[in-house]
């Protein structure tokens, strides 16, 4: 039973956070961030690693947990837009107060702009951990039109029409190589990486979709046939809905959640393959991804943390992913690692011995050469492969 219950973590936490924030308003808007940090960071630190690999039968339940994400995202977006609306929208005030106990006027009177911002940051985490993460799972299911449509709508909340294309047909092919905008090179700063990966991923998806449609004589600008344009229009419809319900303030808050969720995705991209190298002609293997089996992260993110198996078998559903405990491991769970990544010097200090271990125990002879080049270029202190390069250069100089 525990293996079923653990994957209720996201909907339970999401609904709980939203109810607390909109019941109280004001300082209660901080509760979303506090709950995420306490539950996920503390949970990963205290709970033993989840290395369980049960064979589970009731697949409908695990799919239901994913499908629930879309109504949660719509509900989250509506709550903020309605609460910030200058007037009663379609007579919703009476319904919201009598059924849920949410008072729009009290929320507006008792909540400052920075408290709304704190609530929007929590919303951005839900957009990213829920929408983008679950959208990622569903858009890998190219065999299911239903799941592809649901996944693309979830990605639309973070204006990510490109992800369903670039991630599936670009990233999974190019990871660990310079051709992949979503692979962070050694020494990359997370803040510049987010922009590079965001823009690079969109350009790559545009090129992929343009090339696909050209085979059939269609334009990438054609909203009927172009997945890029349809995805962009889906996002535009969500922004329009937020504005029509709540006006400019609601639009601004929706943008914070949307851009924040997309930024969260790019920080996760930054972590998942940081510093790992691979030759383009070599097969993608479990050693080309950082893995973690931290329990809270695994439950909340529907086993996205078992990233090594995901890249070994991209079409595997999340409940079938194995722990791959001998794969390259992050020392912490996802949210803890995200917080570390926001402090670049600290992140590099943590990752240096881990990269050294990868070079020594996982890299092939050809990858060791690439690792030396990457380490020298990175300028990071403590990378043994860079030191080997320096020692070899000194030896060659003396020999000459």
């Amino acid at each position: 039973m525990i293996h079923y219950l653990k994957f209720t973590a996201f909907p339970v936490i999401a609904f709980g956070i939203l109810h607390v924030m909109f019941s109280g308003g004001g300082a209660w808007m901080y509760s979303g961030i506090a709950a995420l940090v306490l539950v996920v960071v503390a949970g990963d630190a205290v709970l033993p690693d989840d290395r369980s690999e049960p064979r589970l039968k009731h697949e409908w339940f695990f799919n239901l947990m994913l499908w629930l994400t879309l109504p949660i995202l719509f509900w989250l977006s509506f709550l903020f837009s309605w609460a910030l609306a200058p007037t009663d929208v379609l007579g919703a005030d009476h319904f919201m107060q009598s059924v849920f106990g949410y008072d729009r006027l009290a929320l507006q009177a008792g909540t400052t702009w920075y408290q709304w911002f704190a609530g929007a940051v929590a919303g951005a985490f839900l957009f990213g951990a829920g929408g983008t993460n679950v959208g990622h799972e569903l858009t890998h299911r190219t065999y299911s039109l239903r799941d592809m449509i649901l996944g693309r709508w979830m990605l639309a909340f973070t204006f990510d029409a490109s992800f369903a294309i670039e991630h599936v047909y670009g990233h999974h092919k190019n990871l660990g190589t310079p051709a992949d905008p979503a692979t962070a090179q050694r020494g990359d700063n997370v803040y510049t990486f987010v922009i590079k990966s965001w823009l690079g991923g969109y350009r790559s998806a545009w090129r992929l979709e343009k090339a696909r449609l050209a085979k059939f004589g269609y334009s990438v600008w054609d909203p009927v046939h172009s997945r890029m344009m349809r995805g962009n229009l889906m996002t535009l419809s969500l922004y329009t809905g937020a504005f029509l319900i709540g006006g400019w303030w609601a639009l601004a808050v929706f943008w914070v959640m949307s851009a924040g969720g997309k930024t969260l995705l790019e920080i996760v991209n930054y972590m998942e393959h940081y510093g790992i190298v691979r030759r383009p002609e070599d097969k993608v293997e479990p050693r080309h991804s950082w893995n973690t089996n931290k329990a809270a992260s695994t439950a909340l993110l529907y086993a996205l943390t078992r990233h090594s198996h995901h890249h070994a078998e991209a079409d595997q559903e999340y409940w079938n992913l194995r722990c791959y405990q001998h794969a390259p491991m992050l020392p912490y769970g996802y949210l803890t690692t995200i917080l570390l990544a926001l402090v670049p010097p600290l992140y590099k200090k943590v990752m240096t011995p881990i990269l050294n271990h990868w070079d020594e125990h996982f890299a092939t002879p050809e990858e060791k050469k690439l690792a030396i080049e990457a380490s020298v270029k990175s300028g990071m202190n403590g990378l043994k492969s860079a030191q080997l390069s320096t020692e070899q250069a000194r030896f060659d100089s003396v020999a000459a």
Side-chain angles (χ1 to χ4, degrees), residues 187-209:
D188 276 359
N189 180 295
V190 68
Y191 299 101
T192 55
F193 173 84
V194 165
I195 298 172
K196 181 188 75 172
S197 181
W198 194 332
L199 298 178
Y202 194 91
R203 285 195 299 265
S204 177
W206 189 271
R207 288 193 297 266
L208 288 168
E209 185 67 354

Side-chain angles (χ1 to χ4, degrees), residues 239-283:
Y239 271 81
T240 302
F243 176 74
L244 291 176
I245 294 171
W248 290 107
W249 278 112
L251 186 65
V253 166
F254 188 87
W255 180 86
V256 170
M257 294 192 295
S258 186
K262 173 62 174 172
T263 300
L264 185 65
L265 162 69
E266 299 300 354
I267 298 174
V268 169
N269 278 337
Y270 176 81
M271 297 156 31
E272 287 175 335
H273 307 281
Y274 179 85
I276 288 178
V277 295
R278 181 180 69 88
R279 296 193 309 168
E281 62 268 31
D282 291 343
K283 179 183 176 182

Side-chain angles (χ1 to χ4, degrees), residues 3 50-55 306 321-325:
H3 299 300
D50 181 2
R51 299 192 182 96
S52 60
E53 296 181 347
R55 295 295 177 179
R306 296 183 169 187
L321 294 176
R322 303 300 169 221
C323 68
Y324 276 42
Q325 57 183 312

Side-chain angles (χ1 to χ4, degrees), residues 42-162:
D44 280 339
V46 173
L47 296 173
D49 284 4
D50 181 2
R51 299 192 182 96
S52 60
E53 296 181 347
R55 295 295 177 179
L56 302 166
K57 296 180 180 180
H58 304 294
E59 296 185 356
W60 64 267
F61 177 84
F62 299 107
N63 279 316
L64 178 62
M65 293 301 101
L66 299 182
W67 298 334
L68 276 175
T69 303
L70 190 56
I72 289 172
L73 296 180
F74 276 115
W75 180 239
L76 163 62
S77 304
F78 173 76
L79 280 178
F80 273 100
S81 299
W82 165 79
L84 290 162
T87 59
D88 185 5
V89 180
L90 299 176
D93 282 10
H94 175 72
F95 173 79
M96 296 296 283
Q97 188 164 15
S98 60
V99 176
F100 299 105
Y102 304 157
D103 187 328
R104 179 178 61 86
L105 296 179
L107 282 167
Q108 292 180 359
T111 309
T112 63
W113 70 266
Y114 48 86
Q115 289 168 339
W116 283 116
F117 179 79
V121 171
F125 271 93
L126 297 181
F127 268 22
T132 303
N133 179 42
V134 176
H136 159 257
E137 166 85 14
L138 294 180
T139 53
H140 267 291
R141 300 181 183 181
T142 53
Y143 53 84
S144 170
L145 179 61
R146 174 201 60 209
D147 287 347
M148 287 287 289
I149 292 173
L150 290 174
R152 287 177 63 79
W153 268 109
M154 293 176 197
L155 292 169
F157 281 85
T158 51
F159 44 83
D160 219 350
S162 60

